[in-house]
């Protein structure tokens, strides 16, 4: 519809100017209430948001008046945008390096925050100053190079709709979420950072402070709904949950206010009674004025008198602004807020320019009068009437005395964007003018002032422009028409006199690596006094400490959960872990299940008491055995040594000596050689010792059986029988061990699972079956020896060994029968210690039971060691 209106206006203006060739005299339909015009060869148009009108709607109950009564409400904070544009144009006109010999001018109109006024203002920019003839050059002294505006996305969209027809560049200085998905080629450029960067920044900030339970406030319009729909899945996927999502109503009619305030009161109670201490706030540029109602709207007196503050996170579009009737309202609940703001700096000279600005020092500024009156609460005298109500404005009031929500002496983010936008336009015009002069030259009119540039060509220069502005920042616009702008993270410090101090505490840089986009100085943040200068905590559930994991409550958001201890064998080493996990194989869980501790390497070593004790016991028994062997060898011709089969006795003592020494193979770090030898050596040597006992037992029994008359056993009596038994029994065990080594030999192994806190270095037996075969065979030999010795225990002979062998085999069998359950019930080095003890105990039993009586006679009772005693019969 707007396009149709424009085309009709073009046709109409063409016919009018055809009829009046000498002079165009068509007057515009409306004279704008506010405008600011500064002449120049090139003009920059501006659509600003200075204020708006409130009106009572028609009730249709009576005949309406000719015009609905309207009241102008100025938002004083918006006047700095006008000042920033005028200051930038002044700087450029004084700079000889930008557009030399060309004066840059501007024309500003107010959008009044509605579509009708915005469309009209845009069309007025396309006309002469005093004539409403859009898109027709009729006695025009200056040309519209481009338009800067608007502040809010809807206003920017209305402006772009008209300018798109004429391909006139538009530089948007506010956040424009509607424009983020624009197609290349449309004639507008976004000076502020994209909304996507802002969403990433807010999420990074929430995750940095571990704020996972938050509230959201958005305006009840299309932009607010888009904000909510965008962040909801984005935040939820990152573990952030919403305690509430409220939409603040937007109003434009006074009569509707009471119903809207009623609705806002319900929202206020929900916000300040919520457990969420962090509230993400999104809105339009003037939304802060609406948010300032919140502390005064509660239906509950206790909430009004004891307002709990929140940690506010405010989006870049929202200005710290208020309406004039909110002059003395306390904004203390927003003290300590963290605001994402368009990157800004204070250009040199701006503060002084603002200090000297007053109604008498400005020429052509149609905004300053209403701003001054409403900001300072005074009235300029009217020459048409003698009666003046209220305080009289002198024009000498000081802008620095205004509260921060009305005006700031330092440049804000939006004002800085306007300042940069003017410089972008000026540099692009300079580049285009220089290019035209170099290649074709400029076309001059009759009076030398009439220039005829084609401003649609300006897009080519805008899409690749890059320069340093007067504040020291690099301004760059890419091919998509987006400025490479960052976002500042600003801490709002609001003093009791409602003055505002901005402290830059961080930054979101779109060109930094993903993990370095957010930079933040936590120590520089001043929190609201309600938090006692400590970082606010905003979680649905207190954090789960290490050693426990989260379990989401049924029917609740993921951020609301119970903390359950980790099960046995698992740990959680961080706060708020979703699941516990197992430690690596070489670690074990701590007692509190909050860390993995390295397992100790465990094996039976010579450095520990148990290893030292067993080794000492082994050496002691070996020494005793060697002494006994020495005694027997020294008295080898005595009757008692000869009568007990001297050769078998030597073999038995040597076997026992080797048994005691082979126990040392079980002590120390398992190696390949020791693993191969320890069990096989033990099996063969011990079998040899038992075989010697068995041979001695058979020899005794056969000797007594051979004494009977006509006994056929005499031919078996002799040295050959004992040696044959010894050799045969030993060879069988050696064959078993050889088969074991050939098929599945033992090897060094690591056991990480048997002991919770230890890694066991052990010898894997290779074949458990062969290991038990060795033990079973040895047990069979011992059992046979025990049975034979038991039967021969009452044979009549003073030197009869049968009863001593019986007792020794009883000890031997008892030790190894108790070995099996003990061996199977222990782990690690204690399993090895059990086997060593069994070897030493059984060997010591043989040594003590068989040889201690003989040594007693040889050493202490030598008179009994004679032939007469040997042949004496028992009565």
């Amino acid at each position: 519809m707007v396009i149709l209106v424009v085309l009709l206006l073009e046709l109409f203006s063409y016919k009018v100017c055809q009829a009046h060739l000498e002079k165009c005299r068509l007057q515009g339909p409306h004279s704008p209430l506010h405008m600011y015009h500064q002449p120049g060869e090139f003009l920059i148009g501006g659509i600003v948001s200075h204020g708006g009108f409130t009106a009572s709607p028609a009730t249709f109950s009576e005949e309406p008046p000719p015009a609905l009564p309207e009241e102008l409400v100025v938002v004083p904070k918006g006047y700095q945008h006008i000042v920033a544009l005028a200051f930038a144009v002044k700087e450029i006109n004084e700079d000889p390096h930008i557009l030399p010999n060309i004066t840059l001018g501007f024309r500003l109109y107010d959008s009044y925050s509605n579509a009708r006024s915005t469309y009209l203002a845009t069309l007025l920019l396309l006309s002469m100053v005093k004539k409403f003839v859009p898109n027709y050059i009729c006695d025009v002294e200056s040309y519209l190079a481009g338009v800067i505006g608007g502040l809010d996305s809807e206003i920017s969209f209305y402006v772009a709709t008209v300018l798109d027809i004429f391909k006139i560049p538009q530089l948007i200085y506010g956040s424009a979420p509607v424009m983020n998905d624009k197609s290349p080629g449309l004639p507008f450029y976004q000076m502020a950072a994209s909304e996507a960067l802002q969403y990433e920044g807010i999420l990074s900030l929430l995750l940095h402070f571990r704020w996972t339970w938050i509230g959201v406030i958005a305006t009840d319009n299309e932009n607010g709904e888009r904000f909510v729909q965008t962040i909801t899945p984005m935040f939820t996927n990152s573990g952030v949950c919403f305690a509430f999502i409220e939409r603040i109503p937007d109003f434009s009619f006074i009569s509707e206010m009471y119903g809207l305030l009623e609705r806002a009161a319900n929202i206020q109670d929900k916000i300040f009674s919520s457990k969420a201490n962090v509230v993400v706030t999104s809105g339009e540029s003037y939304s802060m004025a609406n948010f300032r109602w919140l502390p005064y709207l509660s239906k509950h007196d206790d909430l009004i008198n004891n307002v709990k503050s929140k940690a506010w996170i405010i989006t870049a579009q929202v200005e710290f602004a208020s309406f004039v009737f909110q002059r003395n309202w306390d904004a203390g609940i927003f003290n300590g807020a963290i605001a994402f703001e368009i990157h800004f700096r204070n250009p040199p000279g701006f503060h002084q320019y603002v200090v000297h600005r007053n109604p008498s020092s400005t020429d052509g500024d149609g905004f300053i009068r209403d701003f001054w009156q409403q900001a300072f609460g005074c009235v300029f005298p009217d020459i048409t009437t003698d009666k003046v109500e209220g305080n009289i404005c002198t024009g000498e009031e000081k802008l620095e005395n205004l509260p921060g929500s009305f005006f700031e002496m330092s440049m804000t983010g939006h004002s800085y964007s306007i300042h940069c936008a003017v410089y972008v336009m000026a540099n692009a015009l300079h580049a285009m003018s220089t290019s035209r002069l170099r290649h074709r030259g400029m076309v001059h009119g009759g009076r030398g002032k009439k220039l005829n540039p084609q401003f649609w060509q300006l897009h080519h220069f805008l899409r690749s422009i890059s320069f340093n502005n007067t504040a020291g920042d690099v301004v760059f616009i890419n091919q998509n028409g987006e400025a490479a702008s960052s976002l500042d993270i600003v801490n709002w410090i609001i003093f009791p006199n409602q003055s505002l101090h901005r402290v830059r505490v961080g930054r979101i840089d779109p060109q930094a690596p993903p993990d370095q986009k957010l930079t933040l100085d936590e120590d520089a943040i001043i929190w609201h006094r309600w938090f006692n200068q400590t970082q606010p905590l905003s979680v649905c559930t207190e954090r789960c400490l290490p050693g426990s994991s989260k379990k989401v409550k049924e029917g609740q958001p993921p951020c609301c959960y119970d903390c359950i201890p980790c099960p046995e064998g698992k740990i959680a080493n961080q706060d708020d872990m979703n699941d516990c996990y197992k430690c690596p194989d070489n670690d074990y869980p701590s007692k509190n299940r909050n860390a993995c501790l390295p397992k100790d390497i465990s094996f039976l070593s010579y450095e520990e008491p148990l290893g030292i004790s067993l080794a000492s016991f082994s050496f002691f028994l070996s020494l005793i055995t060697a002494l006994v062997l020495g005694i027997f060898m020294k008295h080898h011709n005595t009757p008692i040594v000869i009568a007990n089969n001297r050769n078998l006795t030597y073999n038995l003592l040597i076997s026992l000596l080797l048994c005691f020494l082979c126990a040392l193979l079980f002590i120390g770090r398992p190696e390949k050689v020791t693993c191969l030898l320890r069990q096989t050596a033990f099996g063969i040597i011990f079998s040899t010792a038992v075989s010697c006992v068995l041979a001695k037992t058979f020899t005794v029994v056969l000797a007594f059986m051979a004494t009977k008359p006509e006994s056929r056993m005499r031919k078996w009596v002799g040295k050959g029988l004992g040696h044959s038994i010894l050799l045969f029994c030993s060879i069988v065990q050696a064959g078993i061990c050889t088969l074991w080594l050939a098929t599945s030999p033992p090897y060094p192994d690591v056991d990480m699972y048997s002991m919770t806190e230890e890694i066991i270095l052990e010898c894997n037996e290779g074949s458990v079956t062969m290991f038990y075969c060795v033990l079973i065979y040895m047990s069979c030999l011992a059992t046979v020896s025990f049975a034979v010795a038991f039967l021969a225990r009452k044979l009549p002979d003073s030197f009869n060994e049968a009863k001593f062998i019986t007792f020794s085999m009883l000890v031997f069998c008892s030790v190894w029968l108790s070995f099996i359950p003990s061996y199977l019930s222990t782990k690690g080095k204690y399993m090895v210690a059990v086997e060593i003890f069994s070897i030493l105990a059984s060997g010591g039993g043989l040594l003590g039971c068989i040889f201690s009586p003989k040594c007693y006679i040889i050493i202490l009772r030598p008179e009994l060691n004679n032939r007469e005693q040997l042949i004496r019969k028992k009565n």
Side-chain angles (χ1 to χ4, degrees):
M1 182 175 182
V2 174
I3 297 174
L4 179 60
V5 171
V6 174
L7 292 176
L8 290 174
L9 287 172
E10 290 182 9
L11 179 61
F12 178 72
S13 63
Y14 173 75
K15 291 184 177 181
V16 169
C17 285
Q18 284 291 97
H20 303 274
L21 294 176
E22 293 183 0
K23 195 76 174 177
C24 295
R25 301 183 182 276
L26 181 64
Q27 297 298 318
H30 294 89
S31 178
L33 182 61
H34 299 96
M35 68 167 291
Y36 189 177
H37 173 62
Q38 180 174 308
E41 284 98 340
F42 291 161
L43 287 182
I44 295 177
I47 303 295
V48 297
S49 295
H50 176 243
F53 290 98
T54 59
S56 298
T59 61
F60 300 101
S61 61
E62 58 185 5
E63 185 176 348
L68 293 175
E70 294 182 330
E71 180 182 354
L72 175 66
V73 177
V74 172
V75 181
K77 199 61 169 282
Y79 184 68
Q80 194 194 79
H81 304 164
I82 299 169
V83 176
L85 191 146
F87 174 72
V89 171
K90 172 181 174 294
E91 280 187 314
I92 291 168
N93 287 332
E94 294 175 353
D95 189 343
H97 301 99
I98 304 177
L99 295 176
N101 302 320
I102 296 177
T103 303
L104 189 64
F106 59 85
R107 283 164 59 187
L108 303 182
Y109 292 103
D110 198 343
S111 68
Y112 299 113
S113 299
N114 64 70
R116 182 185 65 179
S117 299
T118 304
Y119 283 128
L120 176 60
T122 308
L123 292 173
L124 285 171
L125 289 174
L126 300 171
S127 306
M128 295 179 61
V129 175
K130 297 182 179 180
K131 301 178 179 65
F132 187 69
V133 188
N135 201 36
Y136 193 84
I137 300 175
C138 181
D139 194 30
V140 176
E141 296 182 353
S142 51
Y143 298 89
L144 181 67
V147 176
I148 297 175
L151 178 58
D152 296 316
S153 58
E154 289 186 359
I155 302 302
S156 300
F157 182 74
Y158 300 148
V159 175
T161 303
V162 178
L163 295 183
D164 188 26
I165 303 171
F166 305 100
K167 304 305 178 186
I168 293 177
Q170 175 191 4
L171 278 69
I172 300 172
Y173 64 90
S175 299
V178 175
M179 307 300 181
N180 281 341
D181 298 327
K182 68 186 181 67
S183 302
L186 293 180
F188 61 83
Y189 302 84
Q190 190 167 329
M191 300 302 299
S194 67
E195 291 292 310
L197 180 64
Q198 185 168 222
Y199 300 148
E200 292 179 19
I202 294 174
L203 180 58
S204 298
L205 188 70
L206 294 175
L207 297 178
H208 177 83
F209 287 116
R210 296 186 178 183
W211 292 334
T212 58
W213 187 241
I214 66 168
V216 173
I217 301 177
T219 51
D220 192 7
N221 58 19
E222 184 179 352
N223 291 335
E225 188 62 30
R226 183 181 296 106
F227 175 80
V228 172
Q229 295 298 325
T230 302
I231 68 167
T232 300
M234 181 180 180
F235 286 14
T236 301
N237 292 337
S238 297
V240 178
C241 304
F242 301 96
F244 58 84
I245 298 177
E246 295 295 334
R247 293 163 177 82
I248 296 292
D250 198 8
F251 56 87
S252 58
F253 298 107
I254 292 296
S255 61
E256 295 177 354
M257 182 175 293
Y258 298 106
L260 295 174
L261 293 181
E262 180 77 13
R263 179 181 166 192
N266 296 326
I267 295 174
Q268 192 269 359
D269 291 341
K270 183 177 290 188
I271 293 172
F272 288 101
S273 62
S274 172
K275 186 180 176 181
N277 286 326
V278 175
V279 180
V280 177
T281 305
S282 172
E284 308 297 342
S285 58
Y286 56 84
S287 293
M288 182 56 67
N290 296 337
F291 298 153
R292 294 188 68 178
W293 282 92
L294 292 175
Y296 305 97
L297 294 179
S298 177
K299 296 180 179 180
H300 306 285
D301 293 338
D302 58 330
L303 289 180
I304 293 178
N305 299 327
N306 301 290
V307 175
K308 294 182 179 180
S309 183
K310 302 290 181 180
W312 302 87
I313 298 178
I314 302 173
T315 57
Q317 185 62 11
V318 179
E319 290 261 23
F320 182 69
S322 63
F323 297 124
V324 291
F325 61 83
Q326 298 171 318
R327 180 189 308 272
N328 297 319
W329 288 21
D330 183 18
I333 65 166
F334 298 105
N335 182 36
I338 299 177
F340 286 80
E341 297 190 1
I342 302 168
H343 174 68
F344 64 92
R345 286 190 182 182
N346 218 30
F350 180 74
H351 185 271
Q352 285 299 111
Y353 181 78
V354 174
V355 166
H356 295 97
R357 194 169 186 86
N358 57 58
S360 60
S361 66
T362 57
D363 185 21
D365 186 354
F367 294 90
I368 193 170
R369 185 181 178 89
D370 281 326
F371 159 75
W372 208 268
Q373 291 184 134
Q374 297 206 20
F376 289 102
C378 59
V379 180
F380 284 106
D382 190 348
I383 59 175
T384 61
T385 178
D386 295 333
K387 186 177 181 180
V388 178
E389 296 182 0
N391 299 325
I392 296 177
C393 296
T394 64
E396 300 300 323
E397 291 83 2
K398 301 298 182 182
L399 290 173
E400 57 262 34
N401 295 333
L402 290 174
S405 60
F406 278 16
F407 194 84
E408 294 181 57
M409 302 301 289
S410 299
M411 192 170 279
T412 64
H414 287 118
S415 297
Y416 187 69
S417 288
I418 293 175
H419 182 270
C420 292
V422 174
Y423 267 88
V424 166
M425 188 66 70
N427 278 274
L429 286 169
H430 180 81
M432 187 178 74
S433 301
T434 304
S435 176
R436 290 169 63 89
L437 285 171
R438 185 182 301 117
H439 298 291
R440 299 195 306 269
M442 299 292 288
V443 178
H444 296 273
R447 288 174 293 179
K449 283 251 186 156
K450 188 174 180 181
L451 305 175
N452 188 26
Q454 301 295 323
F455 287 111
W456 58 268
Q457 297 176 353
L458 201 59
H459 292 288
H460 169 74
F461 299 95
L462 286 170
R463 286 199 181 95
S464 58
I465 198 165
S466 179
F467 61 91
N468 290 342
N469 64 9
T470 56
D473 285 332
V474 177
V475 181
F476 169 71
I477 295 181
N478 60 27
Q479 289 295 323
N480 294 326
E482 298 172 344
S485 178
S486 60
L487 286 172
D488 289 337
I489 302 176
V490 177
N491 190 204
W492 285 1
I493 310 301
I494 302 173
F495 297 98
N497 63 354
Q498 305 309 304
S499 61
L500 172 69
H501 177 55
R502 285 183 166 91
V503 178
R504 189 181 284 109
V505 296
R507 185 183 183 191
I508 299 292
D509 188 356
Q511 298 177 336
D515 58 337
Q516 300 177 11
K517 280 188 176 182
L518 172 67
T519 56
L520 190 67
D521 183 6
E522 295 183 43
D523 297 333
I525 299 177
I526 304 297
W527 302 106
H528 193 279
R529 62 179 179 274
W530 194 81
F531 298 111
N532 296 322
Q533 195 45 39
T534 58
Q535 178 190 316
L537 181 67
S538 189
V539 293
C540 180
T541 303
E542 290 289 339
R543 62 192 178 98
C544 288
L545 297 174
S548 61
S549 62
K550 298 188 297 185
K551 181 182 180 182
V552 178
K553 297 179 181 179
E554 187 174 355
Q556 296 290 324
C559 300
C560 301
Y561 46 81
D562 294 320
C563 297
I564 57 175
C566 290
E568 185 75 26
K570 291 187 176 182
I571 68 133
N573 59 355
Q574 297 179 5
D575 294 339
D576 291 333
M577 292 195 66
N578 293 320
D579 292 299
C580 302
Y581 65 92
K582 290 184 177 181
C583 290
D585 291 341
N586 55 349
D587 293 336
Y588 69 95
S590 62
K591 182 179 179 181
N592 296 326
R593 301 173 188 173
N594 58 0
C596 287
L597 304 178
K599 291 182 178 180
D600 295 328
I601 303 297
S602 175
F603 60 90
L604 188 60
S605 67
Y606 289 103
E607 287 79 18
E608 59 183 306
L610 181 60
I612 295 173
S613 300
L614 292 174
S616 300
F617 191 29
S618 174
F619 282 117
F620 174 74
L621 291 177
S622 300
L623 179 62
I624 296 298
T625 306
L627 290 174
V628 173
L629 179 60
I631 292 171
F632 271 68
M633 291 183 70
K634 182 178 180 181
H635 301 85
H636 66 283
N637 289 323
T638 60
I640 195 169
V641 175
I642 297 172
N644 287 280
N645 201 329
R646 182 170 49 194
N647 291 334
L648 286 177
T649 299
Y650 293 160
N651 286 330
L652 177 58
L653 287 171
I654 293 172
S655 298
L656 289 175
L657 177 61
L658 294 178
C659 281
F660 296 141
L661 292 176
C662 81
L664 299 177
L665 293 173
F666 291 82
I667 304 175
R669 191 182 188 95
E671 302 291 347
K672 186 175 182 179
V673 175
T674 56
C675 287
L676 286 172
L677 292 178
R678 61 165 58 170
Q679 297 293 3
T680 54
F682 153 69
I684 294 172
I685 295 171
F686 232 101
S687 296
T688 302
V690 177
S691 299
C692 290
V693 175
L694 180 61
K696 288 171 68 69
T697 307
F698 266 101
T699 301
V700 172
V701 173
L702 290 177
F704 280 97
M705 292 178 67
T707 59
K708 296 179 180 181
E710 300 180 356
S711 175
R712 290 182 294 181
M713 295 296 177
R714 292 182 179 180
K715 62 180 179 181
W716 297 102
V717 177
K719 297 180 180 179
L721 176 62
H723 293 161
S724 299
I725 293 174
L726 172 61
L727 185 60
F728 175 78
C729 293
S730 299
I731 289 175
V732 172
Q733 184 70 294
I736 295 173
C737 292
T738 303
L739 181 63
W740 183 6
L741 295 177
T743 55
S744 183
Y747 58 89
D749 197 8
V750 177
D751 182 5
M752 296 185 175
Y753 309 105
S754 297
M755 303 290 287
T756 303
E757 301 179 8
E758 296 178 352
I759 296 176
I760 301 172
L761 300 184
E762 62 180 7
C763 286
N764 191 304
E765 309 304 344
S767 174
V768 178
T769 303
M770 297 303 297
F771 172 65
Y772 284 106
C773 285
V774 170
L775 294 180
I776 291 171
Y777 177 75
M778 194 165 51
S779 301
C780 291
L781 292 179
T783 303
V784 173
S785 297
F786 173 73
V788 175
F790 181 78
L791 294 175
R793 72 188 185 282
K794 294 183 179 180
L795 293 177
D797 184 62
S798 297
F799 301 121
N800 182 14
E801 288 185 299
K803 53 187 174 185
F804 303 120
I805 293 174
T806 301
F807 190 71
S808 67
M809 286 296 102
L810 184 61
V811 173
F812 182 90
C813 292
S814 299
V815 169
W816 286 102
L817 283 175
S818 61
F819 162 78
I820 295 176
S822 301
Y823 186 80
L824 295 177
S825 61
T826 55
K827 296 177 181 178
K829 61 184 178 182
Y830 300 103
M831 181 185 288
V832 178
V834 166
E835 187 170 358
I836 295 174
F837 178 79
S838 299
I839 293 172
L840 298 179
S842 58
L846 290 177
L847 180 65
C849 293
I850 295 176
F851 293 100
S852 58
K854 298 178 177 59
C855 291
Y856 171 77
I857 293 174
I858 294 172
I859 298 173
L860 300 179
R861 300 292 299 276
E863 70 275 6
L864 299 178
N865 189 8
N866 54 61
R867 183 174 177 79
E868 290 75 15
Q869 182 68 22
L870 178 64
I871 63 175
R872 185 173 56 86
K873 305 280 185 160
K874 284 187 178 182
N875 295 325

